[in-house]
Amino acid sequence: MIGKGPRPARRHIVVLFIDIVGSTELAERLDPELLLQILESYYAACRAEIFIHGGVVEKYIGDAIMAVFGVPASREDDALRAVLAAYGAMSAVHRLSAEIAPTHGVLLDAHCGIAFGEVIVVGSSDSDVRVIGDTVNTASRLQSAAGDGEILLGDEVARLVRHHAVLDEVPPLTLKGKRDPVRAWRLVTVEPDRGEPGTDTIPLIGRTEELRQLTQLHERVMRDQRCGMATLLGVSGIGKSRLAREFLHNLPDDVTVLTGRCPSYGIGATYRPIAEMLQALNGDWPAIAEAVGTESARALRGLAGPDASEYGDTPGIAEIAQAVRSFFEVLGQRRPLVVVLDNLQWAEPTLLDLILDCARWLADVPVLLVCVARPELYEIRPSWGGGMACAMSLELGPLSRPHIERLVAELCAGRADVVAHDDDIMYQRVIYGSDGNPLFAELMLETLAEGAASLPPTIKALLGARLDRLSEAERGVLERAATIGQSFTVDQVEALFDADGPTTALPLRRLQRDRLIRRGALPRSFEFTQTLTRETVYAMTSKESRADWHRRLADWFAEQAADASDDAPFSGPTSGDVSQHLLAACRLVREVRPGDPLLPELTDRAADSLIREGGQALHRRDLPAAIALLERGREMLPPGRDEHRWLAVRISDAELARGESLRAVAALDCAEKLLPDDPRNLLSCAIQRGILALRSGAGGPEIEPLRERLALDPQDELSWCRFHQLEAWIHIDAGRFGAADRAFRDGLHRAQAMGDRYEEDRLLGGLCELVQWSPTPVPEGLALCEDLLSRFAGDRALLVPALVTKARLLALRGDLGTARETLDTADRYVAELGLGLSAIAVVQVRGLVESLDGNHEVASGLFRHAAAVLRTAGHGAAAAALEVYAARETLWRGDVRQAALELARGEAGPRRLRAEVAAIVTRAAIASRDGAHGEAVRAAARATELLESTDDPCLRGDVLVEVAQIHRAAGRDPADAAQRARDAYLSKGASLLVRRVDDWMGEPCP
């Protein structure tokens, strides 16, 4: 907080250690009075060089001197000053040695070490300063490692003075107290007169071609009424955002512009840029909500975050993607639309997928996506933008020498203080030192114009020097703003001051004048003009202050979220903001106040918030964000907490869903380390390992030993819940659907007893799909479908499996029209959300409906299409079953030869029980139609035997109907097989199939 006196300050400084060589030997040889005279001369010579170059002697340690540069205020050339002081001091020692050698018979020498880094500075005057930090230790160790007459520089110092000195690299040094070898350089000589970089008030310079290409792409988007994407790449400070602003400034007035930024700290802040765009349109929200439709409006509202905390109200990533597409489409159809996404290198994988998805889906809408990123984006996504017809990538390199000269001239012309100096040497050094980087040129020139004596060689030192020239009030506001983020509001900054704190209006105006911040898009909002400025201010702010401010921000964001209204739902903060600030506060308190009695409570709060966010991300299928959030929450919890068991299961589920089986196992390994002696944890992990093995095709574990361990702890609800899921999957693999149904229901009771919505949803989803094949009667299955359709109303991706199951059950009941309508709804959701393989389930059940309606040719084509897609996707076993169904449809439409050929093509690979039984009975039916009745009857008997291992009533009925037909064709009595088929259908409630058996027999069998 802003105080009246000096306060501990975090800053980057240069530390110098110099010590005389052989002082012990001198003490043995010389009289103490003579030794004192020599040492006083040595101290005086070193002090003089240190003071001349602006350093402060922090302390004397024996014969060693410790000096610091950058106190009380940083200067951009502190490293150079320290090197000059060391070089001068070493020369002075050698001169002193030459003077006393003839008379005293003594040769003097010294060795020196210099390091640059972050420290805490206590006190501010030359006579009262303490410096604390590892940089002090590094400089001391470098001095000890230096030979006689040597000056060793740490790597940071070497990079800071590389334009002003001749250096020789030495082999990496192993220094006491340092875990890793330290890179160092030997100073050969120093040449200080070598040399070293703006604003929207200055014309855009050197980017004419890039601006032309960007403008032409926009004109093409407008002319062809299509979506386009431009990716602007470049290192920090090179001018990407400046080019984007110039492009936006030149756009026609009828173009709508939306801007969103990806925060560097947004774990799980997947949709923050979209939320920023929505926030800018708060006033238009009612009209937008009406245009995008109820589902999309609900999904977009969900991005507001904190008030949508229940899983049931959390939209999935497919739902969100469709909503964002609709949002852009609605705006783009009203007026041309330009969407700018800044700092895309920090985007979550899910957001990157969404952007590419929008670019593909909005093919005929005049929308230009402008993606601004550092080159790291292509390291994350090497194929970014590839294959798009209306896209381009522009990588901005350094400005050419003529362009940087013009830029510096324009900057000088805009500053009276620079013109007054009219220093051509300074002008040239800015041009030389900027390396074509406009940000470096602008900041270097401004810092030099404020009175610095020489040029800063790096941007870190430059920004530190610039910030140290702020008043205490300006620095206090800027530090709080940096804690908030790249963008901030006046209200947020003021919330971080005490009630009687200073006003912020004047400091904010001065910070704007100095171009450290600029006005934001929203009222009372601001943003840092450069990301590097914000990062540097944040790093140089006291961790204790940051810890307090992050905690306050978490409270403030939570309060603001609670006050959000329906008229302005996008109030700015999201639940991710709360989690992020709690996480930052907790980590900082651990670093600077590890014994704080409030730390456990803060840790719990941060962990709870992260885990809650991770659960919501997992529910909406945003798996990368879910894993990141849950793992971060796990990191916050101390070992021994029971939450580690629950987290292990959730993270394992998410990794398995991503196809990362090894990482799924690793999550369980981690829980076993964090809860090594907890029997419940060990049991839960063992059960989850069994589920992973079974789902990956490795085979399930022995289940009875697990049951025996569970019997010892009847109240271990999570382990029991997961055990019943494992039990169900084992039964499904063996074709025992009734037993699987019972296991799922047992697990559901446990989940409900825990009040665990996540486990309930998993089990209900499994039950819903299973009811298609289990003995559960059709009416009961339809009731379950209706329950799930109501439960998952907010997420159409979860509705699709329930709709597919409902359609199948309706068809079995004979309501083919309603079944088709239900599938049409599922098809629409699949198409709008781009659900991929979920579409195949719709196609498969549509094939069943057409088959039941007698449209065997259509059914055959649907089954073949679904099989081809599944086989391409690597689901060979499922594809094999559909290929058998397709062959059966071909047979039923009367093409016996073609059916035989189709069936033969699928003989090579293994089949699961359903497919194998269907294949055998279909071969039997083909043989029967060919007159090979003996062969047909034997095959029918084999199929009947296999039916004994499954309780799927429809499979049993389908096979037994074929067996009855084969028996009748062979002159045998079909009544027994037909009656058994009828009983199976009747038990399922498949009334349509019951009537068909009755019709085939002529009358009900007795």
Side-chain angles (χ1 to χ4, degrees):
M1 56 186 293
I2 297 175
K4 295 181 179 179
R7 60 189 171 108
R10 183 177 293 271
R11 62 172 71 243
H12 291 95
I13 68 166
V14 182
V15 180
L16 179 154
F17 270 84
I18 187 168
D19 192 10
I20 199 167
V21 173
S23 59
T24 302
E25 182 183 352
L26 288 175
E28 290 179 341
R29 291 178 51 197
L30 301 177
D31 183 85
E33 290 186 26
L34 178 58
L35 177 61
L36 176 60
Q37 294 175 15
I38 293 173
L39 290 178
E40 287 291 351
S41 297
Y42 152 73
Y43 290 142
C46 292
R47 276 198 307 267
E49 291 295 330
I50 291 168
F51 294 154
I52 286 171
H53 292 95
V56 175
V57 173
E58 199 265 5
K59 69 179 73 172
Y60 297 93
I61 308 172
D63 301 325
I65 300 173
M66 173 185 163
V68 294
F69 294 78
V71 176
S74 298
R75 291 161 298 220
E76 60 274 10
D77 59 347
D78 279 328
L80 178 59
R81 289 167 179 262
V83 170
L84 286 168
Y87 194 78
M90 193 68 72
S91 299
V93 170
H94 291 161
R95 287 194 302 271
L96 177 62
S97 177
E99 291 173 4
I100 66 174
T103 56
H104 295 69
V106 174
L107 293 176
L108 296 180
D109 212 339
H111 52 170
C112 181
I114 308 175
F116 171 85
E118 188 177 65
V119 299
I120 290 292
V121 177
V122 182
S124 59
S125 68
D126 292 356
S127 60
D128 181 21
V129 62
R130 286 184 295 131
V131 176
I132 301 168
D134 185 56
T135 303
V136 177
N137 299 328
T138 301
S140 176
R141 301 306 181 199
L142 286 170
Q143 173 249 299
S144 298
D148 295 359
E150 283 188 347
I151 301 172
L152 288 183
L153 312 182
D155 191 50
E156 284 288 316
V157 177
R159 289 193 286 121
L160 284 162
V161 302
R162 67 188 185 277
H163 297 300
H164 306 277
V166 177
L167 307 172
D168 285 341
E169 187 172 9
V170 301
L173 302 174
T174 301
L175 302 180
K176 182 179 179 181
K178 291 290 184 180
R179 181 181 57 190
D180 300 319
V182 174
R183 193 179 185 193
W185 303 74
R186 182 186 299 110
L187 178 67
V188 177
T189 186
V190 58
E191 302 174 14
D193 290 332
R194 293 185 180 187
E196 289 299 312
T199 70
D200 287 1
T201 60
I202 303 299
L204 183 67
I205 296 171
R207 304 299 184 197
T208 303
E209 177 58 22
E210 292 90 341
L211 182 60
R212 183 188 64 81
Q213 293 185 49
L214 193 55
T215 303
Q216 285 185 341
L217 179 64
H218 181 250
E219 290 171 352
R220 181 183 174 192
V221 167
M222 297 300 99
R223 182 184 65 249
D224 298 345
Q225 292 290 289
R226 65 189 306 177
C227 181
M229 186 170 80
T231 303
L232 306 183
L233 293 170
V235 298
S236 181
I238 207 65
K240 306 180 297 295
S241 298
R242 177 68 179 87
L243 173 61
R245 290 198 300 273
E246 185 74 13
F247 164 70
L248 297 178
H249 178 73
N250 295 336
L251 288 174
D253 293 339
D254 65 339
V255 176
T256 300
V257 176
L258 297 177
T259 301
R261 296 170 183 82
C262 303
S264 61
Y265 55 84
I267 296 169
T270 305
Y271 300 106
R272 175 75 63 78
I274 307 300
E276 286 185 6
M277 297 176 192
L278 290 164
Q279 185 184 356
L281 295 172
N282 256 330
D284 297 327
W285 172 246
I288 293 171
E290 180 178 0
V292 299
T294 303
E295 291 84 4
S296 292
R298 183 187 299 116
L300 293 173
R301 278 292 303 271
L303 300 184
D307 58 339
S309 58
E310 290 299 322
Y311 289 162
D313 296 328
T314 303
I317 56 172
E319 191 75 30
I320 293 172
Q322 196 275 332
V324 173
R325 290 196 304 268
S326 297
F327 171 56
F328 288 162
E329 184 175 11
V330 165
L331 294 180
Q333 288 174 343
R334 292 177 175 180
R335 299 169 62 185
L337 176 65
V338 173
V339 177
V340 180
L341 296 124
D342 206 357
N343 287 326
L344 206 59
Q345 72 276 358
W346 291 325
E348 294 282 356
T350 302
L351 180 62
L352 295 177
D353 292 339
L354 171 59
I355 295 167
L356 295 177
D357 185 48
C358 287
R360 287 190 295 266
W361 278 70
L362 300 173
D364 57 352
V365 181
V367 177
L368 177 60
L369 304 172
V370 180
C371 305
V372 183
R374 295 180 187 174
E376 295 92 318
L377 175 63
Y378 275 118
E379 296 176 10
I380 301 168
R381 293 290 178 97
S383 61
W384 177 261
M388 294 182 59
C390 190
M392 71 173 184
S393 177
L394 292 175
E395 182 159 8
L396 278 61
L399 294 179
S400 66
R401 179 60 178 261
H403 286 141
I404 199 70
E405 288 178 347
R406 182 185 166 200
L407 175 63
V408 175
E410 291 279 356
L411 290 168
C412 289
R415 295 184 63 99
D417 48 358
V418 175
V419 174
H421 288 83
D422 196 19
D423 188 341
D424 185 67
I425 294 177
M426 180 186 69
Y427 174 83
Q428 292 299 326
R429 285 182 178 176
V430 171
I431 293 170
Y432 175 81
S434 66
D435 293 326
N437 188 303
L439 169 64
F440 283 24
E442 177 186 1
L443 295 181
M444 287 179 67
L445 186 62
E446 291 183 357
T447 306
L448 291 169
E450 292 166 0
S454 62
L455 296 174
T458 68
I459 195 70
K460 183 191 291 185
L462 170 64
L463 286 171
R466 186 181 183 194
L467 295 171
D468 274 355
R469 289 178 174 82
L470 297 174
S471 70
E472 197 166 3
E474 292 162 3
R475 185 67 177 260
V477 168
L478 204 62
E479 287 178 348
R480 287 165 171 80
T483 304
I484 297 164
Q486 182 68 18
S487 302
F488 58 93
T489 68
V490 175
D491 293 338
Q492 291 165 358
V493 172
E494 291 179 345
L496 299 183
F497 283 101
D498 293 333
D500 58 349
T503 62
T504 60
L506 182 58
L508 285 170
R509 283 199 299 270
R510 289 175 174 171
L511 292 170
Q512 282 184 271
R513 178 203 62 194
D514 293 338
R515 293 190 290 277
L516 288 166
I517 63 173
R518 58 173 169 247
R519 287 282 181 183
L522 299 175
R524 292 171 60 80
S525 71
F526 295 88
E527 59 186 24
F528 283 85
T529 55
Q530 299 291 343
T531 302
L532 281 177
T533 303
R534 183 259 162 188
E535 293 172 353
T536 303
V537 174
Y538 185 79
M540 295 176 67
T541 301
S542 157
K543 287 187 176 181
E544 186 135 11
S545 296
R546 281 187 267 157
D548 178 56
W549 295 340
H550 279 299
R551 180 188 56 77
R552 290 194 191 189
L553 283 168
D555 295 339
W556 187 88
F557 279 125
E559 292 171 3
Q560 294 299 305
D563 293 338
S565 66
D566 290 339
D567 293 333
F570 307 106
S571 56
T574 68
S575 48
D577 289 306
V578 176
S579 297
Q580 175 58 35
H581 287 294
L582 286 172
L583 175 62
C586 192
R587 284 184 166 175
L588 289 166
V589 171
R590 281 180 174 176
E591 292 176 12
V592 298
R593 297 198 306 269
D596 192 320
L598 297 179
L599 181 57
E601 179 185 351
L602 183 62
T603 300
D604 285 349
R605 188 179 169 196
D608 288 346
S609 184
L610 288 162
I611 292 168
R612 183 169 58 253
E613 284 294 300
Q616 292 176 4
L618 185 59
H619 178 79
R620 67 174 181 256
R621 306 299 192 270
D622 188 352
L623 299 179
I627 293 168
L629 286 161
L630 294 174
E631 287 181 340
R632 193 62 58 85
R634 181 180 64 191
E635 291 171 9
M636 298 303 297
L637 292 173
R641 292 282 292 271
D642 186 58
E643 290 94 326
H644 287 299
R645 177 168 70 125
W646 300 78
L647 284 169
V649 171
R650 301 292 198 270
I651 297 170
S652 179
D653 286 344
E655 294 287 10
L656 179 64
R658 294 184 69 198
E660 298 286 350
S661 56
L662 293 179
R663 293 178 63 88
V665 172
L668 304 176
D669 295 339
C670 184
E672 290 172 343
K673 291 178 182 177
L674 293 167
L675 284 170
D677 302 318
D678 188 303
R680 286 188 170 184
N681 179 63
L682 295 175
L683 183 53
S684 293
C685 289
I687 293 169
Q688 182 70 7
R689 289 180 194 277
I691 293 175
L692 295 177
L694 196 66
R695 299 295 299 273
S696 63
E702 289 291 332
I703 199 168
E704 289 308 315
L706 295 174
R707 194 191 303 274
E708 292 171 4
R709 291 169 63 182
L710 277 166
L712 301 176
D713 190 356
Q715 302 306 313
D716 183 1
E717 302 289 3
L718 177 61
S719 293
W720 274 107
C721 182
R722 284 283 159 159
F723 172 78
H724 290 310
Q725 294 178 50
L726 172 62
E727 190 179 31
W729 285 111
I730 290 173
H731 288 314
I732 289 171
D733 209 41
R736 298 187 295 268
F737 297 101
D741 184 283
R742 291 189 293 275
F744 272 139
R745 292 180 186 277
D746 289 342
L748 182 60
H749 292 318
R750 294 283 183 172
Q752 290 169 338
M754 292 187 289
D756 191 324
R757 179 68 181 257
Y758 172 79
E759 295 292 336
E760 285 186 53
D761 286 351
R762 279 175 57 87
L763 289 156
L764 286 170
L767 271 172
C768 184
E769 291 191 59
L770 185 66
V771 80
Q772 299 180 68
W773 307 286
S774 73
T776 301
V778 166
E780 188 177 333
L782 287 172
L784 175 61
C785 290
E786 293 302 328
D787 287 344
L788 294 189
L789 290 173
S790 174
R791 185 185 185 94
F792 300 144
D795 190 344
R796 288 177 290 172
L798 294 176
L799 293 180
V800 171
L803 289 169
V804 167
T805 299
K806 178 181 178 181
R808 183 186 182 95
L809 298 178
L810 287 170
L812 292 175
R813 194 177 68 180
D815 196 346
L816 300 180
T818 308
R820 286 192 177 97
E821 292 173 1
T822 304
L823 289 173
D824 289 343
T825 301
D827 245 341
R828 188 173 70 255
Y829 292 171
V830 165
E832 291 176 351
L833 301 179
L835 295 181
L837 287 178
S838 295
I840 301 308
V842 179
V843 173
Q844 180 179 347
V845 174
R846 198 177 287 281
L848 171 69
V849 172
E850 296 305 322
S851 176
L852 291 175
D853 204 19
N855 302 319
H856 299 302
E857 185 171 359
V858 174
S860 178
L862 291 168
F863 287 138
R864 280 197 302 273
H865 169 69
V869 174
L870 287 172
R871 196 168 289 284
T872 301
H875 300 281
L882 292 176
E883 287 163 353
V884 172
Y885 300 161
R888 186 174 60 186
E889 296 297 325
T890 301
L891 175 65
W892 285 348
R893 65 182 173 86
D895 195 338
V896 179
R897 297 279 66 78
Q898 181 62 30
L901 289 173
E902 291 177 10
L903 196 62
R905 282 198 292 266
E907 295 291 345
R911 297 189 179 112
R912 292 176 180 165
L913 178 65
R914 289 179 59 83
E916 183 60 25
V917 173
I920 291 172
V921 80
T922 302
R923 281 197 298 271
I926 291 172
S928 176
R929 285 163 174 74
D930 283 342
H933 297 297
E935 177 186 345
V937 170
R938 287 190 295 274
R942 172 61 182 152
T944 305
E945 290 175 7
L946 289 176
L947 284 181
E948 296 306 314
S949 61
T950 182
D951 56 0
D952 178 348
C954 288
L955 177 62
R956 294 178 65 85
D958 292 346
V959 170
L960 289 169
V961 164
E962 290 286 357
V963 170
Q965 292 174 342
I966 290 167
H967 284 176
R968 175 179 283 181
R972 297 189 173 199
D973 185 2
D976 180 65
Q979 182 62 53
R980 291 169 60 197
R982 185 181 189 277
D983 291 344
Y985 289 144
L986 189 61
S987 69
K988 181 65 178 175
S991 50
L992 174 64
L993 299 175
V994 171
R995 291 194 298 271
R996 289 187 177 177
V997 173
D998 289 344
D999 292 343
W1000 184 78
M1001 292 295 293
E1003 58 183 18
C1005 296

